[in-house]
Amino acid sequence: MTSPVRFLTGITTSGTPHIGNYVGALRPAVEASRRPGTENFYFLADYHALIKCDDPARVQRSTLEIAACWLAIGLDPDQVFFYRQSDVPEIPELTWLLTCVTGKGVLNRAHAYKAQVDKNRAAGADPDADVTAGLFMYPVLMAADILLFKAHKIPVGRDQVQHIEMARDIASSFNHLYGEHLVLPEAQVDESVALLPGTDGRKMSKSYDNVLPLFCPREELRRHIAGIVTDSRAPGEPKSVEGSALFQIYEAFASAEETQQLRQAYADGIAWGDAKQMLFERIDREIAPMRERYDALMANPQEIEHILQAGARKVRERASPFMAELRHAVGLRNLAAQAQGAARPKAKAALPSFKQYREADGRHYFKLVDAAGHLLLQSTGFDSPQDAGRAVARLKQQGWLAGEAAAQPAPGVDDGTIRAALALMAA
Ligand code: TRP
């Protein structure tokens, strides 16, 4: 079995999804989540939201809307990892470890931060005006999002590519210092998904106030579509598809055949009102069933909360043992289990190990001991050596103790130490 390719996507919870987000990011992500041989992580980046939004009600509202959106358009939380950033304490924890290997000079070059500084300079203001440390640290938090789950591919727009490159650099620095723990991620920019124009023909964006909302009542969608800017050609006059926002939006929803029909209708001089009606019908055909699910979910926030909590538990089963490994790697260690590589990671030679044995009671046991022979984990008795062996295999494979009734940490040893030991063996 080859190991799966992991994809990871985060959305900052500071706004309301529009049709441009749907076509450019949400729809392709949900389609991608069904590919075999992949693992897919989707999360609500609410810590990132705090960087640009200090309105608590808006952060909460946006988190709810974006979560409902993912579910309504067909993301299956049982098939993917779907969670909220702030439910995973390992993310800020890793952020700090990464902060300590990130050059300040690297962060000085981040676009979002630089743009603010340039703007301040141009205005003759203090260069750091309105720059929080959060804005400055944004790329490190994002690197932690990615590196914690050993993600390989990050589907992003062009504007985020620099952040992925920074995550790579940060991961390399960490690995150079502490051993090969982190996977270097790659940005995946899909050139084929067109940037959707908004109602005024510029890129669809909330900051231009030209968006078509993804989920709003049917009649409101109709009104927004009626507002799409067209030229002044009268009914009967042939129209050009070049530079027609209406046409481009239609194309993003229609089959090749349907698109061809509209192209022909343009040439035949369709009235703009009729073209808008076609666009409305076409979008609504795709969106209407999702809108129904969306409305039901929005009316039932505790269901969403429940799904997110379950998602958090699922990702933390990975994050927690990996974080234990990383804590160990940098030297945040249980002091009782001393002596594992006092200095640099020559530690490879001195791995912890499992020992299996039989006691006078006739039962079969195993234990986990560290390189210095200290007991870390003690099993209960098994009827056969095979049973004991299977429990060992399970521990090795999952690197995780939760619910493992067959073994107990030795006195004075915490879960984290054991997970780190298991991770070390697995590495
Ligand atoms: N910064 C991304 C955005 O604003 C959101 C984000 C946060 C993200 N963490 C991420 C995207 C990790 C991909 C991977 O669009």
Side-chain angles (χ1 to χ4, degrees):
M1 205 184 83
T2 55
S3 54
V5 182
R6 283 180 293 276
F7 291 78
L8 180 138
T9 300
I11 297 193
T12 304
T13 57
S14 53
T16 300
H18 54 68
I19 290 216
N21 302 136
Y22 172 73
V23 167
L26 301 167
R27 188 174 62 183
V30 170
E31 273 162 20
S33 74
R34 306 194 175 114
R35 283 165 307 192
T38 64
E39 285 184 328
N40 297 278
F41 294 76
Y42 301 93
F43 71 98
L44 307 162
D46 55 349
Y47 280 138
H48 278 97
L50 302 186
I51 294 170
K52 52 178 167 186
C53 178
D54 59 10
D55 174 353
R58 176 145 154 242
V59 172
Q60 183 187 21
R61 177 80 191 168
S62 170
T63 305
L64 179 65
E65 286 175 346
I66 294 174
C69 217
W70 277 120
L71 296 167
I73 67 179
L75 196 71
D76 178 354
D78 291 331
Q79 297 302 317
V80 303
F81 296 86
F82 179 54
Y83 56 101
R84 171 173 50 194
Q85 190 182 31
S86 67
D87 285 336
V88 186
E90 289 81 5
I91 293 173
E93 191 175 0
L94 178 56
T95 300
W96 183 251
L97 302 197
L98 300 180
T99 302
C100 295
V101 301
T102 303
K104 176 172 177 291
V106 172
L107 297 180
N108 285 340
R109 290 192 284 275
H111 298 320
Y113 163 74
K114 249 179 56 180
Q116 184 64 41
V117 170
D118 292 347
K119 197 171 126 194
N120 290 336
R121 286 228 169 83
D126 180 321
D128 283 337
D130 289 331
V131 177
T132 64
L135 176 64
F136 189 66
M137 292 284 298
Y138 183 111
V140 189
L141 178 57
M142 186 157 158
D145 292 331
I146 296 168
L147 301 176
L148 184 59
F149 297 107
K150 304 182 185 169
H152 301 104
K153 305 255 180 198
I154 320 297
V156 286
R158 281 247 153 264
D159 61 321
Q160 294 289 322
V161 170
Q162 187 197 36
H163 290 143
I164 313 303
E165 279 163 8
M166 287 184 168
R168 274 180 84 84
D169 289 350
I170 294 170
S172 300
S173 306
F174 187 96
N175 287 352
H176 180 70
L177 289 166
Y178 299 116
E180 293 295 316
H181 295 275
L182 302 175
V183 171
L184 306 196
E186 255 177 64
Q188 195 186 54
V189 182
D190 188 349
E191 307 286 3
S192 74
V193 297
L195 274 184
L196 216 59
T199 51
D200 62 357
R202 292 184 290 175
K203 173 192 162 188
M204 193 182 290
S205 160
K206 192 164 167 262
S207 43
Y208 295 148
D209 195 21
N210 66 356
V211 307
L212 299 177
L214 177 54
F215 293 124
C216 60
R218 223 177 103 87
E219 288 315 308
E220 193 179 324
L221 177 62
R222 189 197 295 279
R223 257 192 295 116
H224 276 98
I225 288 176
I228 294 176
V229 175
T230 52
D231 63 28
S232 56
R233 272 167 234 215
E237 266 185 85
K239 300 180 170 63
S240 166
V241 299
E242 290 305 318
S244 165
L246 197 160
F247 186 81
Q248 279 181 54
I249 300 170
Y250 187 84
E251 200 173 14
F253 284 86
S255 67
E257 204 180 312
E258 291 167 324
T259 303
Q260 185 47 38
Q261 282 163 8
L262 185 63
R263 189 188 299 277
Q264 188 59 50
Y266 265 55
D268 296 343
I270 186 174
W272 284 126
D274 294 340
K276 285 176 177 176
Q277 179 62 20
M278 273 178 79
L279 175 63
F280 169 69
E281 296 292 352
R282 188 60 194 84
I283 294 182
D284 197 58
R285 172 143 60 95
E286 179 161 330
I287 299 296
M290 301 175 189
R291 183 191 296 130
E292 220 166 280
R293 288 197 291 273
Y294 180 81
D295 291 342
L297 284 160
M298 288 299 285
N300 203 356
Q302 69 275 21
E303 186 182 335
I304 298 181
E305 182 63 35
H306 182 80
I307 291 171
L308 290 175
Q309 301 270 349
R313 280 194 295 278
K314 185 161 141 187
V315 285
R316 291 194 69 200
E317 276 183 30
R318 296 204 178 187
S320 156
F322 188 41
M323 200 55 224
E325 174 189 330
L326 298 176
R327 289 174 60 97
H328 187 273
V330 301
L332 306 176
R333 297 175 184 172
N334 182 307
L335 300 181
Q338 22 167 306
Q340 281 182 15
R344 288 285 120 150
K346 280 274 184 280
K348 286 231 165 80
L351 289 176
S353 57
F354 279 103
K355 313 255 190 261
Q356 260 181 262
Y357 55 98
R358 190 170 185 185
E359 285 284 17
D361 64 3
R363 298 177 61 87
H364 299 266
Y365 293 81
F366 67 81
K367 61 186 178 180
L368 177 65
V369 294
D370 72 12
H374 297 116
L375 181 66
L376 299 176
L377 189 69
Q378 173 64 62
S379 79
T380 54
F382 293 87
D383 291 339
S384 71
Q386 288 79 9
D387 289 342
R390 271 192 289 274
V392 169
R394 215 161 46 235
L395 275 168
K396 278 190 182 164
Q397 203 194 350
Q398 302 180 347
W400 173 241
L401 268 181
E404 184 59 72
Q408 290 296 322
V413 175
D414 61 15
D415 262 23
T417 306
I418 293 164
R419 285 187 217 130
L422 292 168
L424 218 61
M425 293 171 71

